[in-house]
Amino acid sequence: MTSDNIALLQLCSGKNTKHNLAQIEQQIKQLPNSVKLVLTPENALLFSDNISYRNFAESQGEGPLQGAIAEMARHYQVWILVGSMPLISREDPELITSSSLLFDDSGAIRARYDKIHMFDVNIIDDEQDIYNESSIYQRGEHITVVDTPVGRLGMTICYDLRFPCLFQALRKQGADLIAVPAAFTRLTGEAHWEPLLKARAIENQCIILAPAQIGVHGQRRTWGHSMVIDSWGNILQENADAVSALTLNIDKAKESLIGVREQMKVVKHNRFRTSLMPLIEHKTK
């Protein structure tokens, strides 16, 4: 019997960062020792408002939020992906980014990805109605692919899911797994979450790892339904609405990638290749 080696945490994060960190640790401490990589959703450490995101933003490698995650990674001997948190921009200290950070099991940061596509939308019949991430965050300019103990991982955040070219760029840089930490709205999640995840998995022949927020966060309500989807579009695991972790062994799905990619050589056959954004590539030691 194979042991589970990845975990997707489904959270109901809010304004209280201590509560959010405790929720993450409570789920991690219950995981089997075989788990090597833990993924959390978008807004994992803080799900709040513009002022709070600015006030809690940290410089990379500094601050109590990152310190707490680094300590968890060391204590529980797991790699942890923070789906997103506010960080000080690398280009302008007056600006902040919505960023995903990957910590290794020693607590060191192995990769950073700044969200490229801002969620600037007006959704009729949604609880919040208007979203304008550009008023909060500076958008990212780079893609990120990183080696992890369970495979080569491409990093995205939530609204990025709607932009296939980003996923194609990650696949072209060798991604076998693609993380999609999210806080999809209840309305858009019910309509689009699963079909979009399946499309990105199938068209790029990658395994999609999508940890999600669930529940009510002030005025906002999220969809949940964290899931893992293989390169054929099969849902391997799903957590519909529980604030809890789902775990599985990803090795069999990774093995099937070779056959799927040999049967349909979509990367080779693509005749509409776009120029890639500059790549930040992190390799394990």
Side-chain angles (χ1 to χ4, degrees):
M1 182 176 178
T2 55
S3 300
D4 293 343
N5 55 10
I6 68 166
L8 278 62
L9 308 190
Q10 186 151 280
L11 304 176
C12 183
S13 301
K15 295 182 178 181
N16 189 321
T17 56
K18 291 183 179 179
H19 178 271
N20 298 335
L21 288 166
Q23 186 179 183
I24 291 169
E25 184 166 17
Q26 182 62 28
Q27 291 192 27
I28 289 177
K29 69 169 54 175
Q30 297 179 52
L31 298 175
N33 293 332
S34 56
V35 168
K36 303 298 181 186
L37 174 65
V38 175
L39 301 98
T40 70
E42 183 181 29
N43 298 330
L45 308 186
L46 178 67
F47 204 151
S48 189
D49 52 45
N50 298 14
I51 295 174
S52 295
Y53 292 134
R54 162 52 67 178
N55 290 341
F56 280 91
E58 299 177 349
S59 296
Q60 182 176 325
E62 302 176 9
L65 296 178
Q66 292 171 82
I69 295 296
E71 177 56 32
M72 283 186 219
R74 286 191 293 268
H75 181 75
Y76 296 103
Q77 287 294 285
V78 292
W79 288 50
I80 301 176
L81 178 81
V82 176
S84 80
M85 64 174 292
L87 289 182
I88 303 297
S89 167
R90 289 177 284 196
E91 284 76 31
D92 185 343
E94 297 300 314
L95 301 176
I96 65 173
T97 58
S98 176
S99 302
S100 186
L101 290 177
L102 180 66
F103 293 78
D104 68 17
D105 55 6
S106 73
I109 295 173
R110 288 299 188 100
R112 169 177 176 171
Y113 166 70
D114 298 336
K115 188 176 184 180
I116 291 173
H117 299 99
M118 297 291 97
F119 191 51
D120 297 342
V121 302
N122 184 357
I123 305 172
I124 299 173
D125 296 328
D126 180 75
E127 288 88 353
Q128 186 167 320
D129 189 31
I130 296 174
Y131 301 82
N132 186 17
E133 286 188 339
S134 291
S135 68
I136 314 170
Y137 301 116
Q138 177 190 43
R139 72 177 182 88
E141 298 287 346
H142 305 280
I143 67 172
T144 303
V145 181
V146 55
D147 290 320
T148 78
V150 296
R152 192 156 170 79
L153 179 73
M155 296 167 66
T156 75
I157 300 173
C158 200
Y159 191 52
D160 286 331
L161 179 60
R162 295 183 182 272
F163 301 90
C165 286
L166 171 58
F167 287 74
Q168 291 172 8
L170 295 171
R171 164 67 199 280
K172 192 169 179 63
Q173 294 302 320
D176 294 324
L177 318 171
I178 299 179
V180 188
F184 252 60
T185 70
R186 177 195 57 80
L187 193 67
T188 60
E190 184 175 14
H192 301 150
W193 174 243
E194 183 178 321
L196 285 171
L197 290 173
K198 285 185 173 181
R200 298 297 88 83
I202 294 166
E203 67 197 9
N204 296 290
Q205 301 171 319
C206 287
I207 301 162
I208 299 294
L209 310 174
Q213 292 280 356
I214 179 66
V216 180
H217 323 264
Q219 187 178 350
R220 187 167 171 181
R221 184 183 296 272
T222 53
W223 175 240
H225 292 266
S226 298
M227 61 181 71
V228 179
I229 300 178
D230 70 13
S231 56
W232 199 251
N234 300 307
I235 298 176
L236 301 182
Q237 283 272 30
E238 179 178 3
N239 179 357
D241 56 11
V243 178
S244 63
L246 68 80
T247 65
L248 77 161
N249 185 290
I250 204 68
D251 293 342
K252 185 175 181 180
K254 279 178 58 187
E255 290 170 4
S256 71
L257 285 176
I258 299 173
V260 169
R261 292 174 177 181
E262 279 297 314
Q263 292 174 58
M264 300 183 191
K265 300 181 180 180
V266 295
V267 172
K268 180 180 179 181
H269 296 159
N270 186 2
R271 294 293 177 260
F272 292 92
R273 298 178 186 133
T274 58
S275 59
L276 293 177
M277 296 178 186
L279 173 70
I280 302 173
E281 184 176 355
H282 302 259
K283 295 183 178 179
T284 54
K285 295 179 182 178

